[in-house]
Amino acid sequence: MAVLIATNLRKEIAGSALFEGVSFKVERRDRLALAGPNGAGKTTLLRALLGEVSLEAGELAWEKGARVALHDQRPPAGSRRPLRDYVLAGTSDLAEVEDELRTLEAAMAGGAHDARTLARYASAQSRLEHAGGYDWRERATSFVRGLGFTDADLDRPLDSFSGGELTRASLARALASQPDLLLLDEPTNHLDIESIEWLEELLRTIDAAVILVAHDRWFLEAVTTAVLQLEGGQSTYFPGEWHVWRREQAARAQHAARTADRQAEELARLERFVERFRYKASKARQAQSKLKQIDRLKVTRVEVPRSGRRPLGFEFLKPKRSGRVVVEADSLEVAVPGRTLLHDVSFAIERGEHVSLVGPNGAGKTTLLETLLGRRAPGGGRVRLGHDVQPAYFSQHEAELDERGSVLEATMGATGLRRPDAQALLGRFLFSGWEAHEKPVVALSGGERRRLALAHVVASGANFLVLDEPTNHLDLESRESLEAALEAFPGAVVLVTHDRALLDAVSGRLLAIEGTTLVSYPGGWAEYRERSAPESQPALSPKTKTRARQRQQQKQSPLELVEREIARGEERVAELERRLADDWANVDLVAAHRAARDDLAALLERWETLFESTS
């Protein structure tokens, strides 16, 4: 039976339709993902289903007595209210049902056995059982623990928690309310990977319908059973898994683009005919026929929808070649006041290696990154960067941004680009026009600051990228654009992220913080989880495992990557030799040719080493 049937929903903003004609149905165990560009109305639709936002048209048909809960990115206001009370407030109606049952039991013990009292008792007991029974308080606190809180946190006041912790508390409250329809807006924000996987498992098992908005691709793949796309004010419903919808979406877009191109060519041909012959008597009848064809074609013409937001332009500059060892740590100790995070850690990262650093929140990932870059002194041991290493750091808090001037001034100062080139770079990261370029850095929002910091890293020319949670505030298309750019980046990368799709696509090796040690695992996230998961826990769901295996099969091996670099190097040498044939006395060309041949020789040596290791 359907929990909700929505028919022809319409929402207007300032007199214009945000969306219209939106129809869908969700039953228990359905997991419906809302997809579409930012601004398409996904969050607005969730709030309309809760009743917070009015609709101009349409009908919502609910299952009788359906309970609805929403978690979104509005954390609860700080107060002296304990976390326990805040979470349990989402189940206040269950406490009222318990009170009613106690009252009725006392009445029946006193001799009240009339039909009305018995009916009220049966109804109250049915409502409590529908919500899971008498242990609802214990289940509510189990949701709090699953999201990373401790038992001691339950008695802490809300104003003692950070904004991210309060957002997790909001999620715990929504889960604890035992809803029939659970509405989730970016539920994975502020969760570490362990909590995300706990939430995935929970959502696979709860007896409720779920409608969600998320940018975490592995989360969507693990949970989703259907997709509702909102774009251009219209909606498209797709019954099926997330990756199947993405493949179908791409195929539909490609087909629509080809059809639109053919129709445009046909329109142009017909219009040329009419323009040429409409006033010629012998061709007038044919011209009129072509005009009718043009009118019919315009009615049926395929319009390719414009995306509401283009992805960010991640195209890293080709970096200067560094020494073989990019960074090396020997007997390293990393500590913060009162606590040792890492003890006696030794490792090295080589040129071209893409390494991800993983571990629970608070394990010391960011602290280690800062130590590697010399921004924090080690507690013991040593760490050094290799020869000709030029690092670029993207931090969680954009601390590297110069806030003394405008966006354009900060970009020119950080990258060394001339004004036109800096303006073009900013346009690729959605800072378009004079007003955006001259906006003071101190006035930027959190999302704008992250986009600006990413732009500076992209244009830095660095050969060693150190990225700490680069996907926060990025939409799906921009995450995929970043993933493709990092896969193609020839320099070294150290990445910290909760985006497991990015971890699996980019990583050739994982460094995992386990206690106070650092353990190296070859491969991406899927292989790491298969090796490291305790026997009592499922490492990956069968569906996620299959998709991870497909992704790994699509990745190139290190040998193939070097072969691609060799091909480019050979083209570079050949090009320089052609130019030298016309200008053999040009000393700059001679020097460039020598350097290109040296680079090619080093690549060939690297290929031989990799070939021998795989044979």
Side-chain angles (χ1 to χ4, degrees):
M1 180 179 178
V3 175
L4 169 64
I5 300 174
T7 308
N8 290 326
L9 305 185
R10 176 184 174 88
K11 176 60 185 175
E12 296 179 1
I13 301 292
S16 299
L18 176 63
F19 54 74
E20 60 183 337
V22 174
S23 300
F24 60 90
K25 177 179 73 171
V26 284
E27 299 184 355
R28 291 185 182 278
R29 302 285 181 162
D30 282 350
R31 308 295 185 252
L32 176 66
L34 301 185
N38 291 347
K42 301 186 294 294
T43 296
T44 302
L45 176 57
L46 292 182
R47 293 177 181 174
L49 298 181
L50 188 68
E52 286 188 1
V53 173
S54 62
L55 293 166
E56 275 61 50
E59 180 182 359
L60 297 173
W62 295 93
E63 177 185 62
K64 184 178 180 181
R67 297 161 57 87
V68 186
L70 167 68
H71 161 71
D72 60 16
Q73 294 306 297
R74 299 172 295 179
S79 70
R80 301 304 297 170
R81 187 182 194 183
L83 174 63
R84 185 195 311 273
D85 291 355
Y86 168 74
V87 171
L88 291 180
T91 59
S92 58
D93 59 329
L94 297 180
E96 292 172 359
V97 171
E98 276 192 343
D99 290 341
E100 183 179 4
L101 283 170
R102 281 193 290 268
T103 301
L104 291 169
E105 286 167 356
M108 289 188 293
H113 296 290
D114 56 282
R116 183 170 178 274
T117 300
L118 294 175
R120 286 179 58 198
Y121 186 82
S123 174
Q125 195 167 46
S126 175
R127 278 181 283 156
L128 191 62
E129 289 173 355
H130 178 70
Y134 285 91
D135 63 344
W136 58 269
R137 286 184 180 83
E138 178 54 34
R139 285 201 309 279
T141 55
S142 74
F143 296 136
V144 176
R145 297 186 195 99
L147 292 171
F149 293 102
T150 66
D151 287 343
D153 290 331
L154 289 168
D155 296 316
R156 284 175 53 191
L158 291 181
D159 58 13
S160 68
F161 292 103
S162 67
E165 289 170 329
L166 289 174
T167 301
R168 283 193 279 132
S170 168
L171 177 55
R173 174 174 165 143
L175 295 170
S177 67
Q178 304 291 321
D180 300 293
L181 175 61
L182 179 61
L183 309 174
L184 300 175
D185 192 358
E186 297 294 355
T188 63
N189 282 5
H190 305 288
L191 300 185
D192 61 17
I193 293 177
E194 183 179 357
S195 296
I196 293 172
E197 292 179 340
W198 172 89
L199 180 60
E200 287 173 352
E201 186 61 28
L202 177 70
L203 293 181
R204 280 194 288 263
T205 59
I206 61 172
D207 185 28
V210 179
I211 301 178
L212 60 97
V213 176
H215 287 149
D216 185 317
R217 291 164 288 170
W218 272 39
F219 178 79
L220 288 164
E221 179 59 42
V223 171
T224 300
T225 62
V227 180
L228 181 69
Q229 182 181 16
L230 300 178
E231 186 166 9
Q234 304 299 311
S235 68
T236 303
Y237 179 83
F238 179 82
E241 297 175 346
W242 177 260
H243 75 275
V244 180
W245 169 74
R246 290 286 283 174
R247 189 167 60 235
E248 172 121 345
Q249 181 194 35
R252 285 180 181 177
Q254 190 176 42
H255 175 72
R258 285 199 300 261
T259 302
D261 288 343
R262 285 198 303 269
Q263 289 178 335
E265 291 172 2
E266 179 67 5
L267 276 173
R269 186 185 68 80
L270 293 170
E271 287 169 348
R272 284 195 303 270
F273 184 95
V274 170
E275 185 66 25
R276 184 175 181 182
F277 295 115
R278 69 188 306 172
Y279 299 114
K280 191 172 182 178
S282 62
K283 298 286 187 178
R285 182 175 295 177
Q286 288 177 275
Q288 287 299 315
S289 175
K290 300 299 184 189
L291 280 173
K292 292 178 181 178
Q293 282 184 255
I294 289 172
D295 290 339
R296 288 196 297 270
L297 190 55
K298 285 182 176 179
V299 171
T300 61
R301 187 173 184 179
V302 172
E303 297 290 341
V304 179
R306 294 184 176 183
S307 174
R309 180 186 177 97
R310 66 186 187 275
L312 303 187
F314 292 103
E315 297 169 9
F316 292 99
L317 297 179
K318 185 174 181 179
K320 179 182 177 181
R321 181 183 174 86
S322 71
R324 183 177 65 85
V325 176
V326 173
V327 64
E328 186 174 19
D330 183 29
S331 300
L332 181 64
E333 181 143 338
V334 177
V336 293
R339 182 185 170 203
T340 297
L341 299 173
L342 292 169
H343 174 67
D344 196 23
V345 167
S346 298
F347 64 92
I349 295 172
E350 295 191 0
R351 179 180 58 238
E353 254 200 306
H354 292 181
V355 177
S356 292
L357 181 62
V358 299
N361 286 353
K365 298 185 293 293
T366 297
T367 308
L368 176 57
L369 296 185
E370 293 175 349
T371 304
L372 295 181
L373 293 172
R375 299 186 173 212
R376 180 188 292 267
R382 68 183 184 91
V383 61
R384 69 175 185 87
L385 295 179
H387 178 66
D388 277 344
V389 171
Q390 300 171 355
Y393 181 41
F394 178 84
S395 72
Q396 287 196 53
H397 307 293
E398 309 91 35
E400 61 277 7
L401 287 179
D402 185 349
E403 298 184 334
R404 294 173 295 181
S406 68
V407 167
L408 181 59
E409 290 168 340
T411 300
M412 293 172 66
T415 64
L417 293 174
R418 296 177 296 112
R419 187 182 188 91
D421 294 331
Q423 290 172 325
L425 172 69
L426 289 171
R428 285 163 48 199
F429 283 81
L430 310 185
F431 294 99
S432 300
W434 180 89
E435 186 175 346
H437 293 174
E438 296 303 319
K439 189 174 184 178
V441 174
V442 293
L444 296 178
S445 67
E448 289 171 330
R449 289 177 64 89
R450 297 188 70 78
R451 281 194 278 118
L452 182 60
L454 282 169
H456 293 177
V457 170
V458 164
S460 66
N463 52 25
F464 179 31
L465 303 180
V466 181
L467 308 176
D468 194 357
E469 297 293 354
T471 62
N472 286 357
H473 298 287
L474 296 190
D475 59 22
L476 278 168
E477 290 74 20
S478 294
R479 290 181 184 218
E480 291 171 344
S481 177
L482 173 62
E483 178 184 304
L486 287 177
E487 285 186 281
F489 181 69
V493 177
V494 174
L495 172 69
V496 172
T497 181
H498 290 155
D499 187 326
R500 292 159 295 167
L502 184 63
L503 279 175
D504 203 58
V506 172
S507 305
R509 178 161 65 107
L510 268 72
L511 292 176
I513 298 177
E514 298 178 0
T516 59
T517 64
L518 202 61
V519 181
S520 179
Y521 293 89
W525 176 255
E527 293 111 321
Y528 164 71
R529 286 294 287 119
E530 287 299 300
R531 291 187 183 97
S532 64
E535 292 183 4
S536 60
Q537 294 180 7
L540 295 170
S541 70
K543 181 167 66 175
T544 304
K545 192 182 299 183
T546 299
R547 291 293 297 151
R549 190 179 301 116
Q550 292 169 349
R551 291 179 64 89
Q552 285 297 320
Q553 291 170 352
Q554 293 166 1
K555 290 173 64 175
Q556 288 178 312
S557 69
L559 192 65
E560 291 170 318
L561 290 172
V562 172
E563 287 172 347
R564 288 173 59 194
E565 286 295 307
I566 288 173
R568 283 194 287 263
E570 289 172 337
E571 291 173 2
R572 172 69 172 157
V573 170
E575 171 63 21
L576 288 168
E577 287 175 348
R578 284 192 293 270
R579 293 170 62 186
L580 277 170
D582 298 327
D583 191 8
W584 59 270
N586 188 318
V587 294
D588 290 333
L589 279 179
V590 170
H593 179 253
R594 185 181 298 115
R597 290 186 60 184
D598 289 343
D599 286 346
L600 182 57
L603 283 169
L604 290 168
E605 181 181 348
R606 175 67 171 156
W607 182 90
E608 290 176 1
T609 302
L610 287 170
F611 183 81
E612 290 172 0
S613 68
T614 57
S615 62

